[in-house]
Structure formats: C-alpha cells, structure tokens
Amino acid sequence: MSEIDLKAYIRDVPDFPKPGILFRDITPLLANPHVFNEAIDQMAAHYEGKQIDAIVAAEARGFIFAAPLALRLNCGFVPVRKPGKLPFDTHSFHYELEYGSDTLEIHIDGVQPGQNVLMVDDLLATGGTMKACCNLVEKIGANVVGCCFLIHLKALEGEQRIAPFESFSLIDY
Ligand SMILES: O=P(O)(O)OC[C@H]1O[C@H](OP(=O)(O)OP(=O)(O)O)[C@H](O)[C@@H]1O
Ligand SMILES: Nc1ncnc2[nH]cnc12
C-alpha cells in the first residue's frame, strides 16, 4: 500500500473558469514524478489481468493519463479530439452537456469491432464527455471494459450518468 496521499497534490482553485466553480487543479500532481507515477501505478493495478486492447481518451487532460497507462498496460492509445484536429477519416459525435453541447471526433480505424477498450479521463464531473465517448466506442462494435479517472466529483452524479459502464477513480470529492 502506498504512503502517498494523492489528494494532497490536487490544488483547489475557487471561481475558475467561472464564478461558483471549484476547479480541481491536477498540475501539482503532474509536477511531481513520484506522485504522477504512483497514480499511473494505481490505475494499472486496478486493471491488471484484464484483457485490454486499447485505451481511448478525449483531449486534452485525458491524454495525460491515457498515454502512460497504455504503455504500462501494453496496449494502444487512441485519441478522441476536438473537430478538425485528426488528419484521417473520422467518426464525429455530437453530445449534450449540462449546459450546452459539444462535438468530438475519432479516427474510423482507431478502434476495431470486438476490441476491449478502457476509457480514461482525468476527471468525472457530469459524465457527459465520458458517456458520449463510451456510446461511440460501443456503436463501433467494441466493448467498454471500464472508465478510469483520477478524480471523481461525486455530487455531480456522473457515475450514474455513465452507468452501466463501470467507473473507477483514485480521488473522490
Ligand atoms: O464529466 P464532464 O461534465 O463531461 O466533465 C469532465 C470533462 O471536463 C474536463 O475537460 P474539458 O472539457 O474542460 O477539456 P480539457 O481536458 O481540454 O481541459 C475534464 O478533463 C473531462 O474531460
Ligand atoms: N470542477 C472541475 N475541476 C476541474 N476540471 C473540471 N472539469 C469539469 N469540472 C471540473
């Protein structure tokens, strides 16, 4: 069991990016290689022994955890990006958030039907982003093995929103 208190490396920034939002800033954790490494180790340990072919994550903060975790689990990393950023043919998906809507894209050959896919992001808030990504992966015919987060903001009920997909987080508020 690790002695590192991961939560101690998250900085609270009130009223960012808007009044009333308490922003959970991951940059102190990222700045410390021992702590960052411990977070990736704990994520990898949770999925040890599971068959995972690929990790899918949305830009930008999701990439930070998805890439090292993919190397640790010896599987591919497939990026989901904002419109117009991916160079090859894409599936595009539009989704509703708590306030407003957004569009994301994935390469058509990024995930193959039948693959087991682990979804990764830095933070689960309303679950809108993750639910949209999971729905897309399933529409392609792949299986979502689980959804892995560094941080889970429980009061926003994102876990219920992404159900029945399983979620796992290292730090809960
Ligand atoms: O559960 P939700 O309500 O969907 O919110 C969580 C998402 O919000 C943040 O990304 P953001 O859109 O701020 O983009 P960024 O990673 O580029 O900062 C975070 O990295 C998650 O992807
Ligand atoms: N409170 C929060 N802190 C950091 N990132 C977020 N993304 C959505 N809500 C957030």
Side-chain angles (χ1 to χ4, degrees), residues 23 58-62 82 95 97-98 102 121-130 149 156 158 161:
F23 194 87
E59 76 169 287
R61 281 177 274 155
K82 290 179 178 150
Y95 61 102
L97 289 163
E98 206 77 337
D102 217 340
D121 209 341
D122 71 315
L123 183 141
L124 174 61
T126 66
T129 307
M130 183 54 85
F149 306 91
L156 296 177
R161 189 156 181 202

Short mmCIF file of all heavy atoms in Angstrom, two decimals, residues 23 58-62 82 95 97-98 102 121-130 149 156 158 161, ligand 1:
data_model
loop_
_atom_site.label_atom_id
_atom_site.label_comp_id
_atom_site.label_asym_id
_atom_site.label_seq_id
_atom_site.Cartn_x
_atom_site.Cartn_y
_atom_site.Cartn_z
N PHE A 23 -12.42 24.59 -9.07
CA PHE A 23 -11.64 23.83 -10.05
C PHE A 23 -10.61 22.96 -9.32
O PHE A 23 -9.85 23.45 -8.49
CB PHE A 23 -10.93 24.79 -11.01
CG PHE A 23 -10.38 24.10 -12.24
CD1 PHE A 23 -11.19 23.90 -13.36
CD2 PHE A 23 -9.06 23.65 -12.27
CE1 PHE A 23 -10.68 23.26 -14.49
CE2 PHE A 23 -8.56 23.02 -13.40
CZ PHE A 23 -9.38 22.81 -14.51
N ALA A 58 -10.23 11.42 -24.34
CA ALA A 58 -10.52 12.70 -25.00
C ALA A 58 -9.50 13.75 -24.60
O ALA A 58 -9.03 13.79 -23.45
CB ALA A 58 -11.93 13.16 -24.63
N GLU A 59 -9.20 14.61 -25.57
CA GLU A 59 -8.27 15.69 -25.28
C GLU A 59 -8.91 16.68 -24.31
O GLU A 59 -10.14 16.76 -24.25
CB GLU A 59 -7.83 16.38 -26.58
CG GLU A 59 -8.86 17.33 -27.18
CD GLU A 59 -8.24 18.16 -28.31
OE1 GLU A 59 -7.45 19.07 -28.02
OE2 GLU A 59 -8.57 17.87 -29.46
N ALA A 60 -8.15 17.45 -23.61
CA ALA A 60 -6.71 17.43 -23.55
C ALA A 60 -6.22 16.69 -22.30
O ALA A 60 -5.24 15.94 -22.35
CB ALA A 60 -6.18 18.87 -23.49
N ARG A 61 -6.91 16.89 -21.17
CA ARG A 61 -6.38 16.33 -19.93
C ARG A 61 -6.45 14.81 -19.89
O ARG A 61 -5.65 14.18 -19.20
CB ARG A 61 -7.10 16.96 -18.72
CG ARG A 61 -6.57 18.34 -18.40
CD ARG A 61 -7.34 18.95 -17.27
NE ARG A 61 -8.53 19.64 -17.71
CZ ARG A 61 -9.60 19.85 -16.94
NH1 ARG A 61 -9.63 19.40 -15.71
NH2 ARG A 61 -10.63 20.52 -17.41
N GLY A 62 -7.39 14.21 -20.62
CA GLY A 62 -7.47 12.75 -20.65
C GLY A 62 -6.19 12.13 -21.20
O GLY A 62 -5.76 11.06 -20.75
N LYS A 82 -10.97 17.30 -30.59
CA LYS A 82 -11.94 18.33 -30.97
C LYS A 82 -11.99 18.41 -32.51
O LYS A 82 -11.04 17.99 -33.18
CB LYS A 82 -11.55 19.64 -30.30
CG LYS A 82 -11.81 19.47 -28.79
CD LYS A 82 -11.49 20.61 -27.87
CE LYS A 82 -11.90 20.15 -26.46
NZ LYS A 82 -11.13 20.73 -25.36
N TYR A 95 -22.76 15.77 -28.66
CA TYR A 95 -23.41 15.35 -27.41
C TYR A 95 -23.80 16.54 -26.57
O TYR A 95 -23.22 17.62 -26.68
CB TYR A 95 -22.50 14.38 -26.64
CG TYR A 95 -21.17 14.97 -26.22
CD1 TYR A 95 -20.96 15.40 -24.91
CD2 TYR A 95 -20.14 15.10 -27.12
CE1 TYR A 95 -19.74 15.93 -24.52
CE2 TYR A 95 -18.92 15.63 -26.75
CZ TYR A 95 -18.73 16.04 -25.45
OH TYR A 95 -17.53 16.58 -25.08
N LEU A 97 -24.21 18.48 -23.02
CA LEU A 97 -23.63 18.61 -21.69
C LEU A 97 -24.67 19.26 -20.79
O LEU A 97 -25.77 19.58 -21.23
CB LEU A 97 -22.36 19.47 -21.75
CG LEU A 97 -21.18 18.77 -22.43
CD1 LEU A 97 -20.13 19.78 -22.82
CD2 LEU A 97 -20.59 17.71 -21.52
N GLU A 98 -24.32 19.44 -19.52
CA GLU A 98 -25.25 20.05 -18.57
C GLU A 98 -25.76 21.39 -19.10
O GLU A 98 -26.95 21.67 -19.09
CB GLU A 98 -24.53 20.24 -17.22
CG GLU A 98 -25.44 20.27 -16.04
CD GLU A 98 -25.95 18.89 -15.61
OE1 GLU A 98 -25.97 17.98 -16.45
OE2 GLU A 98 -26.35 18.76 -14.44
N ASP A 102 -21.40 19.79 -27.37
CA ASP A 102 -20.04 19.75 -27.88
C ASP A 102 -19.93 18.67 -28.96
O ASP A 102 -20.81 17.82 -29.09
CB ASP A 102 -19.08 19.43 -26.73
CG ASP A 102 -17.77 20.19 -26.86
OD1 ASP A 102 -17.45 20.63 -27.99
OD2 ASP A 102 -17.07 20.33 -25.84
N ASP A 121 -10.00 9.31 -18.33
CA ASP A 121 -10.03 10.78 -18.29
C ASP A 121 -9.46 11.23 -16.96
O ASP A 121 -9.33 10.43 -16.03
CB ASP A 121 -11.46 11.30 -18.48
CG ASP A 121 -11.49 12.68 -19.13
OD1 ASP A 121 -10.45 13.38 -19.12
OD2 ASP A 121 -12.55 13.07 -19.66
N ASP A 122 -9.12 12.51 -16.87
CA ASP A 122 -8.57 12.99 -15.59
C ASP A 122 -9.68 13.12 -14.55
O ASP A 122 -9.44 12.92 -13.37
CB ASP A 122 -7.82 14.32 -15.76
CG ASP A 122 -8.74 15.49 -16.05
OD1 ASP A 122 -9.65 15.34 -16.89
OD2 ASP A 122 -8.56 16.56 -15.43
N LEU A 123 -10.89 13.47 -15.00
CA LEU A 123 -11.92 13.85 -14.03
C LEU A 123 -13.31 13.49 -14.53
O LEU A 123 -13.63 13.70 -15.71
CB LEU A 123 -11.79 15.36 -13.80
CG LEU A 123 -12.68 16.02 -12.78
CD1 LEU A 123 -11.91 17.08 -12.00
CD2 LEU A 123 -13.88 16.65 -13.46
N LEU A 124 -14.13 12.95 -13.62
CA LEU A 124 -15.55 12.69 -13.90
C LEU A 124 -16.38 13.74 -13.17
O LEU A 124 -16.37 13.80 -11.94
CB LEU A 124 -15.92 11.28 -13.42
CG LEU A 124 -17.39 10.88 -13.50
CD1 LEU A 124 -17.91 10.91 -14.93
CD2 LEU A 124 -17.60 9.49 -12.89
N ALA A 125 -17.07 14.58 -13.96
CA ALA A 125 -17.95 15.60 -13.38
C ALA A 125 -19.39 15.17 -13.67
O ALA A 125 -19.92 14.30 -13.00
CB ALA A 125 -17.60 16.98 -13.91
N THR A 126 -20.03 15.74 -14.69
CA THR A 126 -21.41 15.34 -15.01
C THR A 126 -21.46 14.00 -15.76
O THR A 126 -22.53 13.40 -15.88
CB THR A 126 -22.10 16.38 -15.91
OG1 THR A 126 -21.44 16.39 -17.19
CG2 THR A 126 -22.06 17.77 -15.29
N GLY A 127 -20.32 13.59 -16.32
CA GLY A 127 -20.27 12.35 -17.09
C GLY A 127 -20.62 12.52 -18.55
O GLY A 127 -20.58 11.56 -19.31
N GLY A 128 -20.94 13.74 -18.96
CA GLY A 128 -21.36 13.98 -20.35
C GLY A 128 -20.29 13.58 -21.36
O GLY A 128 -20.59 12.91 -22.36
N THR A 129 -19.06 13.96 -21.09
CA THR A 129 -17.96 13.66 -22.02
C THR A 129 -17.74 12.16 -22.10
O THR A 129 -17.66 11.57 -23.19
CB THR A 129 -16.66 14.34 -21.52
OG1 THR A 129 -16.92 15.72 -21.31
CG2 THR A 129 -15.53 14.17 -22.52
N MET A 130 -17.66 11.51 -20.93
CA MET A 130 -17.36 10.07 -20.91
C MET A 130 -18.50 9.26 -21.51
O MET A 130 -18.26 8.29 -22.24
CB MET A 130 -17.05 9.64 -19.47
CG MET A 130 -16.65 8.20 -19.35
SD MET A 130 -15.26 7.75 -20.44
CE MET A 130 -13.86 8.21 -19.44
N PHE A 149 -10.69 7.16 -13.94
CA PHE A 149 -10.48 8.59 -13.69
C PHE A 149 -9.49 8.79 -12.56
O PHE A 149 -9.45 8.00 -11.61
CB PHE A 149 -11.79 9.26 -13.28
CG PHE A 149 -12.93 9.03 -14.22
CD1 PHE A 149 -13.80 7.96 -14.06
CD2 PHE A 149 -13.14 9.89 -15.29
CE1 PHE A 149 -14.85 7.74 -14.92
CE2 PHE A 149 -14.20 9.68 -16.18
CZ PHE A 149 -15.05 8.61 -15.98
N LEU A 156 -21.92 15.44 -8.53
CA LEU A 156 -22.47 15.73 -9.86
C LEU A 156 -23.10 14.50 -10.52
O LEU A 156 -23.64 14.59 -11.63
CB LEU A 156 -21.40 16.36 -10.76
CG LEU A 156 -20.91 17.72 -10.24
CD1 LEU A 156 -19.78 18.26 -11.13
CD2 LEU A 156 -22.03 18.74 -10.20
N GLY A 158 -22.06 11.86 -12.02
CA GLY A 158 -21.57 11.37 -13.31
C GLY A 158 -21.55 9.86 -13.38
O GLY A 158 -21.76 9.28 -14.44
N ARG A 161 -24.69 8.67 -14.50
CA ARG A 161 -24.93 9.01 -15.91
C ARG A 161 -24.22 8.03 -16.85
O ARG A 161 -24.73 7.70 -17.91
CB ARG A 161 -24.45 10.44 -16.17
CG ARG A 161 -24.84 10.95 -17.52
CD ARG A 161 -24.89 12.46 -17.54
NE ARG A 161 -25.30 12.95 -18.84
CZ ARG A 161 -25.04 14.16 -19.26
NH1 ARG A 161 -24.39 15.02 -18.49
NH2 ARG A 161 -25.44 14.55 -20.45
O1 LIG B 1 -17.92 14.87 -16.73
P1 LIG B 1 -17.99 16.12 -17.57
O2 LIG B 1 -19.02 17.10 -17.07
O3 LIG B 1 -18.13 15.83 -19.02
O4 LIG B 1 -16.62 16.91 -17.34
C1 LIG B 1 -15.37 16.27 -17.33
C2 LIG B 1 -14.55 16.69 -18.51
O5 LIG B 1 -14.26 18.11 -18.37
C3 LIG B 1 -12.86 18.31 -18.47
O6 LIG B 1 -12.47 18.53 -19.78
P2 LIG B 1 -12.64 19.92 -20.54
O7 LIG B 1 -13.86 19.85 -21.41
O8 LIG B 1 -12.57 21.04 -19.54
O9 LIG B 1 -11.40 19.95 -21.53
P3 LIG B 1 -9.80 19.89 -21.35
O10 LIG B 1 -9.44 18.46 -20.99
O11 LIG B 1 -9.33 20.24 -22.72
O12 LIG B 1 -9.38 20.86 -20.27
C4 LIG B 1 -12.26 17.01 -17.98
O13 LIG B 1 -10.94 16.84 -18.45
C5 LIG B 1 -13.21 15.97 -18.51
O14 LIG B 1 -12.90 15.58 -19.84
#
